[in-house]
Amino acid sequence: MSNPREVQLVSRPVGWPTPENFALVESAPTQLAEGQIRVRNEVMSVDPYMRGRMSDAKSYAEPYALGEAMHGGAVGEVVESRADGVAVGDHVLHGLGWREEAVVDAASARVVDTSVAPASAYLGVLGMTGLTAYAGLTRIAGLKAGDVVFVSGAAGAVGSAVGQIAKALGASRVIGSAGSQEKVDHLLNDLGFDAAFNYKDGRVSDLLREAAPDGIDVYFDNVGGDHLEAAIGSLRLGGRIAICGAISVYNNTEAAPGPRNLARLIQTRGTIQGFLVGDHYDIAGEYATKAAGWIADGTLTSRETFVDGIDHAVDGFLGVLRGENLGKMLVRL
Ligand SMILES: NC(=O)c1ccc[n+]([C@@H]2O[C@H](COP(=O)([O-])OP(=O)(O)OC[C@H]3O[C@@H](n4cnc5c(N)ncnc54)[C@H](OP(=O)(O)O)[C@@H]3O)[C@@H](O)[C@H]2O)c1
């Protein structure tokens, strides 16, 4: 029988990653040490932040090493255990995705209940991306009842949660932007957005002004670039901008120019603050409780887009960067 396979980074992408930057290889057999578990991964996450780790530029996280398996969120079934408290048959959330089988220190894994929610939910709406939306809105943007909220990347994993959670927390109007008519229809018809536009249909500043003629109080930025400039241009007095991501520039080979209208922040007394979800796990329990209630009463729904098989994991990752996902992009292993 062949050994389980893993995806390694073999060269650092310059600009857009290509399949040649990756290799699918059989992993070497590994014995478990005391405190470790062997996990047959069932689903793994592919996330935009992984693009940053493929470069060796200094960042908040270590770059992926060349010639080694990449890593990221995954959920799987424990098939062997040398750890107290984790039994064969348990499902665990852990950080060693990009491989069919993982040897994990049990201390860094969390047992999850797949009878309550599917394994995939712990990588999306009940996991990192859901918490990102909640922390960004509550802690960074200081969302208040009555606020008009604009979110970019609105049909993606974080963005779709942002729009719905903002509504649940009392936003008076939620506006989203996304890259296709199908996504715009999804925001309006399925997720309860009040207005939405396809940012490819014109200048983002014009499209936003049309969707929010009286301006916005909060902008949740997943995209950067001209979206950020447009949001600054539409900001009302005391407006807040939470910088979550800047996917429009992740594959740039040269630094993109910043917004040309920063001086509007003086007029509006506006603020811009970046954040990392990793700093906000102290409210993960609070979020999980609220999310469970919102999911149960239909306030918070989530879509998932699946790619099947580790041999298509890179396609799934490239698909996220290209916008091929509705909701959370995942790879079923
Ligand atoms: N700060 C943190 O701690 C943290 C945590 C998680 C995620 N993030 C960031 O949050 C953002 C969303 O992450 P996610 O996991 O939820 O991914 P996602 O939104 O599910 O997927 C990425 C989406 O970005 C859109 N996109 C790609 N290129 C674009 C461009 N040039 N202009 C506008 N939109 C573009 C695509 O949708 P369209 O079809 O609409 O273009 C694509 O579906 C990313 O920027 C990510 O890096 C930050």
Side-chain angles (χ1 to χ4, degrees):
M1 211 179 85
S2 57
N3 289 320
R5 294 167 298 170
E6 61 186 33
V7 180
Q8 297 183 349
L9 184 70
V10 294
S11 59
R12 300 206 181 277
V14 178
W16 278 83
T18 65
E20 290 69 37
N21 297 128
F22 309 92
L24 182 62
V25 299
E26 280 189 25
S27 55
T30 323
Q31 300 291 323
L32 292 194
E34 194 57 41
Q36 289 188 321
I37 51 179
R38 191 182 308 279
V39 183
R40 178 86 29 83
N41 282 337
E42 293 177 356
V43 62
M44 61 167 256
S45 187
V46 278
D47 298 89
Y49 79 82
M50 293 169 172
R51 174 64 187 86
R53 290 198 176 177
M54 291 169 191
S55 302
D56 56 7
K58 195 169 162 33
S59 180
Y60 61 93
E62 279 293 298
Y64 291 135
L66 292 182
E68 289 182 17
M70 297 186 291
H71 43 84
V75 176
E77 184 179 348
V78 177
V79 293
E80 188 185 347
S81 176
R82 290 193 63 193
D84 292 339
V86 186
V88 169
D90 282 348
H91 278 82
V92 290
L93 168 68
H94 63 91
L96 292 181
W98 289 102
R99 63 203 85 196
E100 290 176 308
E101 196 175 279
V103 171
V104 181
D105 290 332
S108 64
R110 177 161 73 87
V111 175
V112 293
D113 188 346
T114 51
S115 69
V116 173
S120 53
Y122 295 99
L123 297 169
V125 70
L126 284 178
M128 185 272 279
T129 53
L131 180 61
T132 302
Y134 182 73
L137 281 173
T138 58
R139 280 201 166 154
I140 310 303
L143 181 72
K144 297 194 292 277
D147 279 344
V148 176
V149 175
F150 171 47
V151 56
S152 54
V158 173
S160 59
V162 167
Q164 296 174 89
I165 293 172
K167 275 283 198 181
L169 295 176
S172 63
R173 187 169 162 78
V174 172
I175 299 134
S177 70
S180 71
Q181 189 56 45
E182 181 206 356
K183 291 185 180 185
V184 167
D185 292 344
H186 172 59
L187 298 177
L188 295 171
N189 301 333
D190 306 325
L191 300 186
F193 279 61
D194 299 288
F197 61 85
N198 178 351
Y199 64 85
K200 295 171 183 167
D201 280 349
R203 276 162 42 119
V204 181
S205 52
D206 295 340
L207 296 165
L208 178 58
R209 215 164 289 127
E210 213 174 292
D214 299 324
I216 59 172
D217 301 295
V218 166
Y219 173 47
F220 193 108
D221 191 14
N222 288 315
V223 164
D226 49 1
H227 271 84
L228 177 56
E229 188 170 290
I232 294 171
S234 280
L235 212 59
R236 298 210 284 214
L237 195 65
R240 289 90 63 204
I241 295 178
I243 305 284
C244 174
I247 196 164
S248 72
V249 304
Y250 289 173
N251 290 310
N252 284 6
T253 48
E254 292 193 11
R260 292 166 297 183
N261 55 354
L262 279 177
R264 265 210 95 239
L265 297 176
I266 304 165
Q267 244 172 283
T268 59
R269 288 71 147 180
T271 57
I272 301 188
Q273 187 183 340
F275 73 103
L276 274 178
V277 63
D279 296 334
H280 299 280
Y281 273 85
D282 58 305
I283 54 169
E286 170 190 316
Y287 170 64
T289 305
K290 288 193 174 161
W294 289 330
I295 290 169
D297 70 13
T299 303
L300 179 59
T301 60
S302 59
R303 288 289 176 92
E304 296 166 326
T305 301
F306 287 101
V307 167
D308 283 301
I310 189 111
D311 39 343
H312 291 293
V314 170
D315 300 331
F317 170 68
L318 295 175
V320 177
L321 300 182
R322 294 191 199 111
E324 290 167 8
N325 56 310
L326 195 61
K328 179 79 187 97
M329 184 69 113
L330 296 153
V331 181
R332 238 178 329 227
L333 298 170

